[in-house]
Amino acid sequence: MLNVGLTHFLVISVALFSLGIYGVITRKNAVMVLMGIELILNSANINFIAFARYGNFGLQGQIMALFVIVLAAAEAAIALAIVINIYKTISNINVDEMDTLRD
Amino acid sequence: MTTYDIIFYLFAIVTVVSAFLVVTNRNIVHSAFFLLFTLFGVAGLYVLLAADFVAIVQLIVYVGGILILLLFGVMLTNKITNVEIKTGTIHALPASIVLGLFAGAIGAIVLNTNWKVLNISGSEPTTAALGNMLINEYALIFELLGILLLIALIGAASMARR
């Protein structure tokens, strides 16, 4: 059990995924929700790379991890633009107070 | 316990503990800095999994780009009067119960599954092989991702300036 194998990396990934979901559903601030999403994407990446290392897939897992990192960058840029627009409209970014589409 | 195992447990503890602090800390700026340690820990795990190129990309893109972007988001969306930028939580108790059960279930599945694992040999540099795959088999996806990133950045800039 102490010798590190595939299972250890998968357990780390499960922990990161659960903490990310917890951050997404409990934090009020929209930027904190984004940080939770980054944790979730990182846990998926750990899974991809662990299976690329221990499975018989060559380097395809690492390619997928690179694509996920690119998509995370695009997602963070768009989401922050939306958050800044919401701040201009309702002067705060608490997700439980966003209940209108326009002012 | 070999050196590999000790380094793994070190990175694992850094990653999970700072991820826990990210989602429980009340100060957003502190959360952003704990996210830095989480991303460093994940990059270390990538190195342990013989993914050297992905680890460096993780450091450059996440730590150098996304984290700075998140910090800008924090700074631009608060009336800064002092360093304390607090935020509240909602539904913390039901969320922790449900996610505890969820993590237990998935963890039990992971631990009880008989994974078919290859005998791994030593690790080689992956950068050249990844580059070959990106411009041969994955060339179309690579170009599409470039266009997607360009569109996303133009859209973000035009949305944020409106």
mmCIF file of all heavy atoms in Angstrom, chain B residues 26-57:
data_model
loop_
_atom_site.group_PDB
_atom_site.id
_atom_site.type_symbol
_atom_site.label_atom_id
_atom_site.label_comp_id
_atom_site.label_asym_id
_atom_site.label_seq_id
_atom_site.Cartn_x
_atom_site.Cartn_y
_atom_site.Cartn_z
ATOM 1 N N ARG B 26 -11.613 32.331 4.155
ATOM 2 C CA ARG B 26 -12.596 33.396 3.940
ATOM 3 C C ARG B 26 -12.017 34.553 3.146
ATOM 4 O O ARG B 26 -12.759 35.364 2.602
ATOM 5 C CB ARG B 26 -13.115 33.904 5.284
ATOM 6 C CG ARG B 26 -13.875 32.860 6.064
ATOM 7 C CD ARG B 26 -14.530 33.462 7.282
ATOM 8 N NE ARG B 26 -15.524 34.469 6.924
ATOM 9 C CZ ARG B 26 -16.752 34.160 6.548
ATOM 10 N NH1 ARG B 26 -17.121 32.912 6.481
ATOM 11 N NH2 ARG B 26 -17.613 35.109 6.243
ATOM 12 N N ASN B 27 -10.707 34.683 3.094
ATOM 13 C CA ASN B 27 -10.068 35.797 2.392
ATOM 14 C C ASN B 27 -9.741 35.366 0.964
ATOM 15 O O ASN B 27 -9.006 34.398 0.752
ATOM 16 C CB ASN B 27 -8.798 36.181 3.150
ATOM 17 C CG ASN B 27 -8.206 37.470 2.673
ATOM 18 O OD1 ASN B 27 -8.225 37.737 1.469
ATOM 19 N ND2 ASN B 27 -7.692 38.264 3.562
ATOM 20 N N ILE B 28 -10.282 36.090 -0.023
ATOM 21 C CA ILE B 28 -10.132 35.633 -1.409
ATOM 22 C C ILE B 28 -8.681 35.691 -1.864
ATOM 23 O O ILE B 28 -8.211 34.824 -2.596
ATOM 24 C CB ILE B 28 -10.996 36.481 -2.348
ATOM 25 C CG1 ILE B 28 -12.418 36.541 -1.844
ATOM 26 C CG2 ILE B 28 -11.004 35.902 -3.729
ATOM 27 C CD1 ILE B 28 -13.258 37.438 -2.684
ATOM 28 N N VAL B 29 -7.952 36.732 -1.414
ATOM 29 C CA VAL B 29 -6.555 36.851 -1.853
ATOM 30 C C VAL B 29 -5.734 35.690 -1.304
ATOM 31 O O VAL B 29 -4.912 35.094 -2.015
ATOM 32 C CB VAL B 29 -5.994 38.211 -1.411
ATOM 33 C CG1 VAL B 29 -4.563 38.354 -1.853
ATOM 34 C CG2 VAL B 29 -6.817 39.329 -1.996
ATOM 35 N N HIS B 30 -5.999 35.307 -0.037
ATOM 36 C CA HIS B 30 -5.312 34.133 0.514
ATOM 37 C C HIS B 30 -5.659 32.884 -0.285
ATOM 38 O O HIS B 30 -4.801 32.047 -0.561
ATOM 39 C CB HIS B 30 -5.685 33.940 1.985
ATOM 40 C CG HIS B 30 -5.123 35.005 2.881
ATOM 41 N ND1 HIS B 30 -5.310 34.996 4.238
ATOM 42 C CD2 HIS B 30 -4.397 36.085 2.601
ATOM 43 C CE1 HIS B 30 -4.708 36.050 4.761
ATOM 44 N NE2 HIS B 30 -4.156 36.724 3.787
ATOM 45 N N SER B 31 -6.943 32.749 -0.667
ATOM 46 C CA SER B 31 -7.344 31.590 -1.465
ATOM 47 C C SER B 31 -6.556 31.533 -2.764
ATOM 48 O O SER B 31 -6.091 30.466 -3.169
ATOM 49 C CB SER B 31 -8.828 31.674 -1.789
ATOM 50 O OG SER B 31 -9.583 31.423 -0.662
ATOM 51 N N ALA B 32 -6.388 32.704 -3.409
ATOM 52 C CA ALA B 32 -5.652 32.725 -4.678
ATOM 53 C C ALA B 32 -4.214 32.268 -4.458
ATOM 54 O O ALA B 32 -3.661 31.524 -5.279
ATOM 55 C CB ALA B 32 -5.692 34.121 -5.280
ATOM 56 N N PHE B 33 -3.599 32.679 -3.334
ATOM 57 C CA PHE B 33 -2.214 32.256 -3.121
ATOM 58 C C PHE B 33 -2.119 30.774 -2.747
ATOM 59 O O PHE B 33 -1.144 30.109 -3.119
ATOM 60 C CB PHE B 33 -1.535 33.136 -2.078
ATOM 61 C CG PHE B 33 -1.097 34.448 -2.652
ATOM 62 C CD1 PHE B 33 -1.800 35.607 -2.408
ATOM 63 C CD2 PHE B 33 -0.003 34.500 -3.490
ATOM 64 C CE1 PHE B 33 -1.413 36.802 -2.968
ATOM 65 C CE2 PHE B 33 0.400 35.683 -4.059
ATOM 66 C CZ PHE B 33 -0.313 36.852 -3.798
ATOM 67 N N PHE B 34 -3.142 30.239 -2.055
ATOM 68 C CA PHE B 34 -3.121 28.796 -1.798
ATOM 69 C C PHE B 34 -3.331 28.017 -3.094
ATOM 70 O O PHE B 34 -2.777 26.933 -3.268
ATOM 71 C CB PHE B 34 -4.167 28.415 -0.765
ATOM 72 C CG PHE B 34 -3.743 28.739 0.635
ATOM 73 C CD1 PHE B 34 -4.477 29.587 1.424
ATOM 74 C CD2 PHE B 34 -2.587 28.186 1.149
ATOM 75 C CE1 PHE B 34 -4.069 29.894 2.709
ATOM 76 C CE2 PHE B 34 -2.177 28.482 2.424
ATOM 77 C CZ PHE B 34 -2.912 29.331 3.208
ATOM 78 N N LEU B 35 -4.120 28.605 -4.024
ATOM 79 C CA LEU B 35 -4.282 27.969 -5.332
ATOM 80 C C LEU B 35 -2.931 27.853 -6.045
ATOM 81 O O LEU B 35 -2.672 26.871 -6.738
ATOM 82 C CB LEU B 35 -5.273 28.770 -6.179
ATOM 83 C CG LEU B 35 -5.705 28.137 -7.489
ATOM 84 C CD1 LEU B 35 -6.462 26.868 -7.230
ATOM 85 C CD2 LEU B 35 -6.557 29.080 -8.290
ATOM 86 N N LEU B 36 -2.052 28.859 -5.830
ATOM 87 C CA LEU B 36 -0.695 28.781 -6.380
ATOM 88 C C LEU B 36 0.018 27.520 -5.916
ATOM 89 O O LEU B 36 0.594 26.777 -6.713
ATOM 90 C CB LEU B 36 0.081 30.023 -5.953
ATOM 91 C CG LEU B 36 1.568 30.090 -6.248
ATOM 92 C CD1 LEU B 36 1.781 30.423 -7.694
ATOM 93 C CD2 LEU B 36 2.251 31.119 -5.390
ATOM 94 N N PHE B 37 -0.072 27.219 -4.585
ATOM 95 C CA PHE B 37 0.610 26.026 -4.077
ATOM 96 C C PHE B 37 -0.029 24.753 -4.629
ATOM 97 O O PHE B 37 0.666 23.780 -4.934
ATOM 98 C CB PHE B 37 0.603 26.023 -2.553
ATOM 99 C CG PHE B 37 1.495 27.061 -1.964
ATOM 100 C CD1 PHE B 37 0.974 28.191 -1.376
ATOM 101 C CD2 PHE B 37 2.863 26.918 -2.044
ATOM 102 C CE1 PHE B 37 1.801 29.163 -0.855
ATOM 103 C CE2 PHE B 37 3.700 27.881 -1.527
ATOM 104 C CZ PHE B 37 3.162 29.012 -0.934
ATOM 105 N N THR B 38 -1.373 24.771 -4.762
ATOM 106 C CA THR B 38 -2.034 23.590 -5.339
ATOM 107 C C THR B 38 -1.521 23.328 -6.746
ATOM 108 O O THR B 38 -1.199 22.189 -7.107
ATOM 109 C CB THR B 38 -3.544 23.813 -5.381
ATOM 110 O OG1 THR B 38 -3.987 24.134 -4.082
ATOM 111 C CG2 THR B 38 -4.256 22.591 -5.857
ATOM 112 N N LEU B 39 -1.428 24.395 -7.563
ATOM 113 C CA LEU B 39 -1.002 24.206 -8.953
ATOM 114 C C LEU B 39 0.448 23.741 -9.012
ATOM 115 O O LEU B 39 0.805 22.903 -9.844
ATOM 116 C CB LEU B 39 -1.192 25.500 -9.732
ATOM 117 C CG LEU B 39 -2.652 25.959 -9.828
ATOM 118 C CD1 LEU B 39 -2.745 27.319 -10.461
ATOM 119 C CD2 LEU B 39 -3.450 24.974 -10.622
ATOM 120 N N PHE B 40 1.299 24.260 -8.096
ATOM 121 C CA PHE B 40 2.680 23.781 -8.032
ATOM 122 C C PHE B 40 2.715 22.292 -7.680
ATOM 123 O O PHE B 40 3.472 21.515 -8.270
ATOM 124 C CB PHE B 40 3.472 24.564 -6.985
ATOM 125 C CG PHE B 40 4.269 25.689 -7.557
ATOM 126 C CD1 PHE B 40 4.038 26.986 -7.151
ATOM 127 C CD2 PHE B 40 5.253 25.457 -8.498
ATOM 128 C CE1 PHE B 40 4.764 28.029 -7.674
ATOM 129 C CE2 PHE B 40 5.994 26.487 -9.028
ATOM 130 C CZ PHE B 40 5.744 27.783 -8.614
ATOM 131 N N GLY B 41 1.879 21.902 -6.714
ATOM 132 C CA GLY B 41 1.853 20.493 -6.319
ATOM 133 C C GLY B 41 1.417 19.601 -7.458
ATOM 134 O O GLY B 41 1.981 18.520 -7.677
ATOM 135 N N VAL B 42 0.397 20.055 -8.217
ATOM 136 C CA VAL B 42 -0.063 19.254 -9.350
ATOM 137 C C VAL B 42 1.033 19.143 -10.408
ATOM 138 O O VAL B 42 1.243 18.076 -10.983
ATOM 139 C CB VAL B 42 -1.356 19.865 -9.930
ATOM 140 C CG1 VAL B 42 -1.768 19.161 -11.183
ATOM 141 C CG2 VAL B 42 -2.462 19.758 -8.919
ATOM 142 N N ALA B 43 1.775 20.240 -10.630
ATOM 143 C CA ALA B 43 2.893 20.172 -11.575
ATOM 144 C C ALA B 43 3.931 19.156 -11.098
ATOM 145 O O ALA B 43 4.490 18.399 -11.906
ATOM 146 C CB ALA B 43 3.516 21.550 -11.742
ATOM 147 N N GLY B 44 4.169 19.106 -9.782
ATOM 148 C CA GLY B 44 5.092 18.107 -9.253
ATOM 149 C C GLY B 44 4.601 16.694 -9.498
ATOM 150 O O GLY B 44 5.378 15.795 -9.842
ATOM 151 N N LEU B 45 3.285 16.479 -9.343
ATOM 152 C CA LEU B 45 2.726 15.145 -9.623
ATOM 153 C C LEU B 45 2.906 14.790 -11.095
ATOM 154 O O LEU B 45 3.179 13.635 -11.434
ATOM 155 C CB LEU B 45 1.249 15.096 -9.254
ATOM 156 C CG LEU B 45 0.914 15.228 -7.772
ATOM 157 C CD1 LEU B 45 -0.584 15.169 -7.571
ATOM 158 C CD2 LEU B 45 1.579 14.130 -6.986
ATOM 159 N N TYR B 46 2.768 15.783 -11.999
ATOM 160 C CA TYR B 46 2.991 15.513 -13.417
ATOM 161 C C TYR B 46 4.429 15.062 -13.650
ATOM 162 O O TYR B 46 4.683 14.146 -14.439
ATOM 163 C CB TYR B 46 2.723 16.753 -14.263
ATOM 164 C CG TYR B 46 1.286 17.193 -14.342
ATOM 165 C CD1 TYR B 46 0.951 18.425 -14.868
ATOM 166 C CD2 TYR B 46 0.259 16.375 -13.893
ATOM 167 C CE1 TYR B 46 -0.355 18.842 -14.946
ATOM 168 C CE2 TYR B 46 -1.042 16.787 -13.959
ATOM 169 C CZ TYR B 46 -1.350 18.018 -14.487
ATOM 170 O OH TYR B 46 -2.629 18.427 -14.565
ATOM 171 N N VAL B 47 5.369 15.718 -12.976
ATOM 172 C CA VAL B 47 6.770 15.316 -13.137
ATOM 173 C C VAL B 47 6.958 13.875 -12.664
ATOM 174 O O VAL B 47 7.624 13.066 -13.312
ATOM 175 C CB VAL B 47 7.698 16.275 -12.373
ATOM 176 C CG1 VAL B 47 9.117 15.755 -12.375
ATOM 177 C CG2 VAL B 47 7.647 17.652 -12.991
ATOM 178 N N LEU B 48 6.322 13.523 -11.532
ATOM 179 C CA LEU B 48 6.437 12.155 -11.027
ATOM 180 C C LEU B 48 5.812 11.161 -12.002
ATOM 181 O O LEU B 48 6.200 9.985 -12.027
ATOM 182 C CB LEU B 48 5.756 12.029 -9.676
ATOM 183 C CG LEU B 48 6.491 12.702 -8.526
ATOM 184 C CD1 LEU B 48 5.704 12.555 -7.259
ATOM 185 C CD2 LEU B 48 7.866 12.089 -8.366
ATOM 186 N N LEU B 49 4.824 11.602 -12.807
ATOM 187 C CA LEU B 49 4.208 10.723 -13.799
ATOM 188 C C LEU B 49 4.927 10.793 -15.133
ATOM 189 O O LEU B 49 4.366 10.408 -16.157
ATOM 190 C CB LEU B 49 2.740 11.111 -13.983
ATOM 191 C CG LEU B 49 1.822 10.678 -12.851
ATOM 192 C CD1 LEU B 49 0.487 11.364 -12.954
ATOM 193 C CD2 LEU B 49 1.640 9.189 -12.887
ATOM 194 N N ALA B 50 6.159 11.320 -15.154
ATOM 195 C CA ALA B 50 6.996 11.374 -16.358
ATOM 196 C C ALA B 50 6.377 12.221 -17.458
ATOM 197 O O ALA B 50 6.524 11.930 -18.628
ATOM 198 C CB ALA B 50 7.300 9.976 -16.886
ATOM 199 N N ALA B 51 5.646 13.288 -17.085
ATOM 200 C CA ALA B 51 5.083 14.196 -18.079
ATOM 201 C C ALA B 51 5.780 15.541 -17.929
ATOM 202 O O ALA B 51 5.209 16.488 -17.412
ATOM 203 C CB ALA B 51 3.575 14.332 -17.900
ATOM 204 N N ASP B 52 7.025 15.619 -18.400
ATOM 205 C CA ASP B 52 7.806 16.827 -18.129
ATOM 206 C C ASP B 52 7.266 18.040 -18.872
ATOM 207 O O ASP B 52 7.138 19.117 -18.297
ATOM 208 C CB ASP B 52 9.279 16.587 -18.482
ATOM 209 C CG ASP B 52 9.450 15.974 -19.848
ATOM 210 O OD1 ASP B 52 8.430 15.641 -20.477
ATOM 211 O OD2 ASP B 52 10.595 15.834 -20.290
ATOM 212 N N PHE B 53 6.876 17.852 -20.149
ATOM 213 C CA PHE B 53 6.405 19.002 -20.926
ATOM 214 C C PHE B 53 5.107 19.561 -20.354
ATOM 215 O O PHE B 53 4.948 20.775 -20.216
ATOM 216 C CB PHE B 53 6.214 18.590 -22.393
ATOM 217 C CG PHE B 53 5.782 19.711 -23.285
ATOM 218 C CD1 PHE B 53 6.645 20.741 -23.585
ATOM 219 C CD2 PHE B 53 4.506 19.740 -23.817
ATOM 220 C CE1 PHE B 53 6.250 21.784 -24.393
ATOM 221 C CE2 PHE B 53 4.100 20.775 -24.626
ATOM 222 C CZ PHE B 53 4.978 21.800 -24.916
ATOM 223 N N VAL B 54 4.171 18.656 -19.996
ATOM 224 C CA VAL B 54 2.894 19.117 -19.446
ATOM 225 C C VAL B 54 3.123 19.835 -18.118
ATOM 226 O O VAL B 54 2.435 20.815 -17.806
ATOM 227 C CB VAL B 54 1.917 17.937 -19.289
ATOM 228 C CG1 VAL B 54 0.571 18.425 -18.839
ATOM 229 C CG2 VAL B 54 1.766 17.214 -20.594
ATOM 230 N N ALA B 55 4.087 19.380 -17.334
ATOM 231 C CA ALA B 55 4.360 20.044 -16.054
ATOM 232 C C ALA B 55 4.821 21.476 -16.277
ATOM 233 O O ALA B 55 4.367 22.403 -15.602
ATOM 234 C CB ALA B 55 5.411 19.260 -15.279
ATOM 235 N N ILE B 56 5.718 21.668 -17.266
ATOM 236 C CA ILE B 56 6.194 23.036 -17.526
ATOM 237 C C ILE B 56 5.072 23.897 -18.076
ATOM 238 O O ILE B 56 4.924 25.069 -17.699
ATOM 239 C CB ILE B 56 7.401 22.985 -18.495
ATOM 240 C CG1 ILE B 56 8.550 22.228 -17.831
ATOM 241 C CG2 ILE B 56 7.848 24.379 -18.848
ATOM 242 C CD1 ILE B 56 9.050 22.865 -16.580
ATOM 243 N N VAL B 57 4.225 23.317 -18.970
ATOM 244 C CA VAL B 57 3.089 24.082 -19.497
ATOM 245 C C VAL B 57 2.145 24.459 -18.365
ATOM 246 O O VAL B 57 1.618 25.572 -18.321
ATOM 247 C CB VAL B 57 2.367 23.274 -20.589
ATOM 248 C CG1 VAL B 57 1.053 23.914 -20.954
ATOM 249 C CG2 VAL B 57 3.238 23.189 -21.803
#
